[in-house]
Amino acid sequence: MSSVESHQEQLSQSDPSPSPNSCSSFELIDMDAGSLYEPVSPHWFYCKIIDSKETWIPFNSEDSQQLEEAYGSGKDCNGRVVPTDGGRYDVHLGERMRYAVYWDELASEVRRCTWFYKGDKDNKYVPYSESFSQVLEETYKLAVTLDEWKKKLESPNREIIILHNPKLMVHYQPIAGCDEWGSTPTEQGRPRTVKRGVENISVDIHCGEPLQIDHLVFVVHGIGPACDLRFRSIVQCVNDFRSVSLNLLQTHFKKAQENQQIGRVEFLPVNWHSPLHSTGVDVDLQRITLPSINRLRHFTNDTILDVFFYNSPTYCQTIVDTVASEMNRIYTLFLQRNPDFKGGVSIAGHSLGSLILFDILTNQKDSLGDIDSEKGSLNIAVDQGDVPTLEEDLKKLQLSEFFNVFEKEKVDKEALMLCTDRDLQEMGIPLGPRKKILNYFRTRKNSVVSVKYPRLIYKPEIFFAFGSPIGMFLTVRGLKRIDPTYKFPTCKGFFNIYHPFDPVAYRIEPMVVPGVEFEPMLIPHHKGRKRMHLELREGLTRMSMDLKNNLLGSLRMAWKSFTRAPYPALQASETAEETEAEPESSLEKSSDINMDETSAAVKEVPPINVGMLNGGQRIDYVLQEKPIESFNEYLFALQSHLCYWESEDTVLLVLKEIYQTQGIFLDQPLQ
């Protein structure tokens, strides 16, 4: 038996044909000898480097069709640009390259694919080059037309491809290194399956995204370049968030889609980590970093130090400038590419990114006059912590006798910092105390470095914070209470969304209503109802309370029946109504007691005024933990902080709130 035949037999044994129901089955090519030739249907792919390995990914069906139409239009492909992936990427057809539009990313090779072979380590199919695919197609056409098979071709890499018959086509890869006799690749290679047409390989090809964009959301990442446990970038995580939203629109906004009321929400990532670490600070840190435990120290420098950078006025300015300018740049570019866009804009931040957005929003100006504002605008609406008063400062300087002078002239600390020596002299303050006061407040003023917050060129409708430490940072800054009347100058809504086990997340509502204890809003499961283990837990709690209340009620009734004095016979007719009404009233009292105890146990809280930060609506929203997470909350703590990107419950809440601003609601309200 020849080596080719033996390889053919090995292939038939080791790589059996898939079932007829499979889209990758080459049994679908049911071609008798002499059948008419039908041209192959091309599909466009792009190449991504994933885990240091090339992976070919198909464009969605609509993008592939657009690329094919542009290719077959008869016009010169050079300079021809086709937008793909909802307008987030451009394909330069002549170059066969795919470029990101809104962020920095390595360009990807693009290929018009018709013939494929199975890869080495995985079962994914790799497309042949366009030129060699054309050679394969011409050979195949000739074989079908003449019914002459066992055609042998040599690839540009000197590998052998043999078309045995319409159902069996094999690529022989040579084994590395030939012996001294110069054996051919066919004799030494191992076979790989060759497929013609994308319909005959197992690959997921998605439909295109709706063309209409209803709303734009900018998403800002937290510390470090990686955003989840798989060490993926903010671009990849936002891609997941967007994919989940497209699926939920089909399942939960089906009526609105059928009525063509909605299109989709576009989510675009905002990266600030790379510009920060390109300032040269990494080189400075490397010089002072100890050589031991190198990987851990490198991780610390690359991630955790972002928190310290943000607390440094110098680097805080760099961070807020980068975030604001990036959002403004992307917004301007988005409008240029989508001139018919009439929707609103919202912003979302994860972890430290939410704090950055909070500070930017706090320091916006509603008027069109001022471009920049200084750090601390929230001080107007937030009670200060341990900041000394003017009277305390004067007491510290042993100049308390002059407090009445300042009070009479209505001079507070802020005004005093603006006073000159002549101003104090006109108030009748002697030279010595004047010098002490001016020196003290000049020193205090210079020690406070202000951060200039850039102005956003749009007014966000809603601010979503995921796993946010905003509450903790505000407290550490000395802000004890947020005034209930305070709201962002330019943003109407604010949702603080967190997982119950997220170690970085903090609540906001207790800072608005510090004297009342109440639970956050529970985010409904995207399939409706609560998760089963939570319902079971609540059901058992409710059952135990019912048993307790019923037992106490029965004991009270029994005790009353034993201790009730007998009524005189003559009074029986006179007090008939009273005696008939008494058991009822006793039951009512018992019922009242039960209801009171039950409500106390369940802690039903009346509506609470949480201020205007979210337009009078609730601010804190907590996700439901999964059953496996409830076994050990410490084990899942880190995962909980990174769970938001693929959380259907989180995405659905975002979509629900966004579309409610447009008067569009879920098909069925979630319980």
Side-chain angles (χ1 to χ4, degrees):
M1 182 183 292
S2 69
S3 65
V4 173
E5 290 174 345
S6 65
H7 284 310
Q8 179 178 341
E9 184 177 349
Q10 292 172 12
L11 181 67
S12 62
Q13 292 175 355
S14 62
D15 188 23
S17 300
S19 66
N21 295 327
S22 171
C23 63
S24 64
S25 174
F26 51 69
E27 294 288 350
L28 296 175
I29 306 179
D30 188 11
M31 189 179 297
D32 298 325
S35 297
L36 294 176
Y37 165 79
E38 292 185 5
V40 66
S41 297
H43 195 93
W44 291 75
F45 282 65
Y46 62 92
C47 183
K48 293 282 287 184
I49 306 299
I50 301 175
D51 296 331
S52 303
K53 185 174 61 176
E54 288 188 352
T55 301
W56 286 89
I57 303 171
F59 284 95
N60 65 57
S61 54
E62 289 185 7
D63 287 346
S64 181
Q65 185 178 350
Q66 282 193 338
L67 290 167
E68 186 62 24
E69 288 174 357
Y71 171 83
S73 63
K75 299 178 182 178
D76 185 11
C77 287
N78 291 325
R80 191 76 183 271
V81 178
V82 179
T84 62
D85 302 270
R88 296 180 296 276
Y89 289 88
D90 281 341
V91 171
H92 293 231
L93 211 55
E95 301 177 29
R96 291 295 198 273
M97 297 297 287
R98 172 179 176 264
Y99 296 92
V101 172
Y102 298 107
W103 55 82
D104 292 331
E105 184 179 308
L106 290 175
S108 305
E109 181 186 350
V110 172
R111 190 174 290 180
R112 182 177 182 263
C113 304
T114 53
W115 284 77
F116 307 83
Y117 65 92
K118 187 170 286 189
D120 281 332
K121 298 179 181 179
D122 51 24
N123 289 325
K124 294 181 179 179
Y125 281 85
V126 180
Y128 287 104
S129 67
E130 292 185 37
S131 57
F132 188 64
S133 292
Q134 190 173 356
V135 174
L136 282 168
E137 185 64 20
E138 290 172 356
T139 306
Y140 178 86
K141 179 180 179 180
L142 187 64
V144 170
T145 305
L146 302 178
D147 194 23
E148 295 179 358
W149 294 95
K150 294 192 180 295
K151 298 285 186 180
K152 182 185 297 186
L153 298 90
E154 186 173 325
S155 74
N157 298 331
R158 299 185 61 81
E159 297 176 358
I160 301 300
I161 293 93
I162 299 178
L163 310 184
H164 292 286
N165 56 58
K167 298 179 181 179
L168 183 60
M169 296 171 281
V170 185
H171 179 137
Y172 291 94
Q173 182 187 27
I175 296 175
C178 293
D179 58 22
E180 59 183 1
W181 299 100
S183 302
T184 64
T186 304
E187 294 170 345
Q188 284 198 343
R190 62 183 183 82
R192 296 195 210 171
T193 306
V194 175
K195 294 292 181 69
R196 175 180 179 264
V198 71
E199 66 273 9
N200 293 311
I201 66 172
S202 55
V203 62
D204 293 329
I205 299 177
H206 301 285
C207 298
E209 301 174 14
L211 295 177
Q212 176 185 328
I213 300 176
D214 305 318
H215 202 89
L216 175 62
V217 180
F218 294 116
V219 184
V220 180
H221 65 84
I223 63 171
C227 296
D228 67 356
L229 290 176
R230 287 174 278 177
F231 297 98
R232 297 184 304 164
S233 68
I234 180 63
V235 173
Q236 294 170 302
C237 290
V238 173
N239 284 345
D240 274 351
F241 202 87
R242 188 188 306 109
S243 298
V244 173
S245 76
L246 292 172
N247 292 333
L248 290 173
L249 285 175
Q250 293 178 356
T251 56
H252 290 71
F253 293 87
K254 193 173 183 180
K255 292 179 182 177
Q257 279 195 334
E258 290 174 351
N259 296 331
Q260 297 183 345
Q261 293 177 286
I262 63 171
R264 64 183 175 92
V265 176
E266 179 61 283
F267 297 90
L268 295 179
V270 177
N271 180 17
W272 56 266
H273 178 85
S274 301
L276 171 67
H277 288 261
S278 63
T279 59
V281 65
D282 286 358
V283 177
D284 297 335
L285 283 171
Q286 190 60 39
R287 286 200 297 264
I288 60 174
T289 301
L290 300 181
S292 59
I293 51 173
N294 184 49
R295 289 186 180 180
L296 180 58
R297 295 185 190 278
H298 177 73
F299 173 79
T300 301
N301 289 351
D302 208 31
T303 56
I304 299 174
L305 282 183
D306 285 349
V307 178
F308 298 101
F309 285 143
Y310 191 66
N311 284 328
S312 160
T314 303
Y315 293 108
C316 177
Q317 188 69 64
T318 302
I319 293 172
V320 296
D321 285 346
T322 301
V323 171
S325 62
E326 270 294 281
M327 291 195 293
N328 287 341
R329 179 190 68 82
I330 295 173
Y331 180 68
T332 303
L333 181 57
F334 178 83
L335 292 183
Q336 292 173 357
R337 294 175 63 89
N338 300 273
D340 298 329
F341 176 71
K342 305 297 182 185
V345 183
S346 292
I347 55 178
H350 175 243
S351 190
L352 183 62
S354 64
L355 177 65
I356 298 169
L357 291 177
F358 184 89
D359 287 342
I360 291 175
L361 288 178
T362 299
N363 292 279
Q364 293 298 293
K365 295 293 185 183
D366 196 13
S367 62
L368 298 177
D370 299 328
I371 298 299
D372 295 325
S373 57
E374 292 189 1
K375 190 172 184 178
S377 298
L378 187 62
N379 293 353
I380 300 170
V382 182
D383 293 342
Q384 292 286 349
D386 299 326
V387 178
T389 63
L390 176 58
E391 187 175 7
E392 291 171 341
D393 283 331
L394 291 173
K395 185 177 181 180
K396 183 177 180 181
L397 294 171
Q398 297 181 346
L399 298 173
S400 299
E401 64 269 24
F402 297 107
F403 176 71
N404 292 332
V405 176
F406 293 122
E407 192 174 35
K408 180 182 177 182
E409 297 290 337
K410 299 188 183 305
V411 174
D412 57 11
K413 287 182 65 172
E414 188 175 356
L416 189 54
M417 285 187 180
L418 301 174
C419 287
T420 63
D421 182 79
R422 186 171 181 178
D423 294 330
L424 297 180
Q425 186 177 3
E426 290 178 354
M427 293 182 204
I429 298 176
L431 178 62
R434 288 205 307 269
K435 295 299 182 183
K436 281 186 178 182
I437 292 170
L438 288 173
N439 179 64
Y440 177 79
F441 283 101
R442 188 181 296 117
T443 305
R444 296 292 295 268
K445 183 178 180 180
N446 292 337
S447 66
V448 178
V449 181
S450 62
V451 175
K452 297 289 186 180
Y453 285 87
R455 182 182 177 87
L456 300 178
I457 59 176
Y458 55 87
K459 293 184 178 181
E461 292 193 9
I462 306 175
F463 168 35
F464 298 99
F466 306 140
S468 172
I470 292 172
M472 181 268 289
F473 271 85
L474 291 181
T475 303
V476 170
R477 290 172 182 175
L479 308 177
K480 290 187 175 181
R481 180 174 178 268
I482 299 176
D483 192 311
T485 62
Y486 177 76
K487 57 184 178 181
F488 294 124
T490 59
C491 183
K492 299 176 183 177
F494 175 35
F495 290 85
N496 182 37
I497 302 168
Y498 60 93
H499 190 283
F501 302 155
D502 188 339
V504 180
Y506 289 81
R507 292 191 64 183
I508 296 293
E509 291 173 339
M511 297 190 71
V512 183
V513 192
V516 182
E517 289 189 10
F518 55 98
E519 296 295 323
M521 293 292 289
L522 187 67
I523 299 176
H525 191 263
H526 65 284
K527 293 184 179 179
R529 302 176 61 85
K530 292 182 180 177
R531 292 187 183 272
M532 185 176 295
H533 70 289
L534 295 179
E535 285 195 341
L536 181 60
R537 185 190 304 165
E538 288 187 3
L540 290 173
T541 303
R542 196 178 299 114
M543 186 188 304
S544 64
M545 289 307 305
D546 288 343
L547 288 172
K548 176 185 173 184
N549 292 330
N550 289 336
L551 180 60
L552 288 173
S554 300
L555 288 173
R556 287 193 189 95
M557 290 291 293
W559 178 254
K560 285 183 179 180
S561 65
F562 286 131
T563 58
R564 184 184 300 137
Y567 292 105
L570 292 176
Q571 295 181 359
S573 59
E574 299 175 4
T575 59
E577 293 180 9
E578 296 180 9
T579 54
E580 289 177 4
E582 186 174 348
E584 184 178 350
S585 62
S586 300
L587 288 173
E588 287 178 356
K589 290 179 182 178
S590 176
S591 176
D592 290 341
I593 293 169
N594 292 350
M595 289 298 295
D596 291 341
E597 292 182 359
T598 303
S599 61
V602 178
K603 294 184 180 179
E604 292 180 358
V605 180
I608 297 172
N609 179 16
V610 292
M612 297 306 297
L613 202 52
N614 192 22
Q617 299 183 64
R618 293 293 299 273
I619 300 170
D620 294 335
Y621 287 77
V622 62
L623 292 165
Q624 301 178 39
E625 74 269 19
K626 297 177 181 177
I628 192 173
E629 293 172 342
S630 61
F631 286 111
N632 191 328
E633 51 193 63
Y634 293 97
L635 184 63
F636 292 94
L638 180 59
Q639 180 179 324
S640 299
H641 183 57
L642 305 171
C643 73
Y644 306 98
W645 307 116
E646 298 176 86
S647 166
E648 293 97 336
D649 300 349
T650 301
V651 178
L652 187 58
L653 177 62
V654 171
L655 293 176
K656 179 176 78 74
E657 295 301 328
I658 286 175
Y659 276 113
Q660 275 186 1
T661 63
Q662 303 177 19
I664 296 171
F665 302 92
L666 293 168
D667 291 342
Q668 293 181 349
L670 297 177
Q671 300 297 325

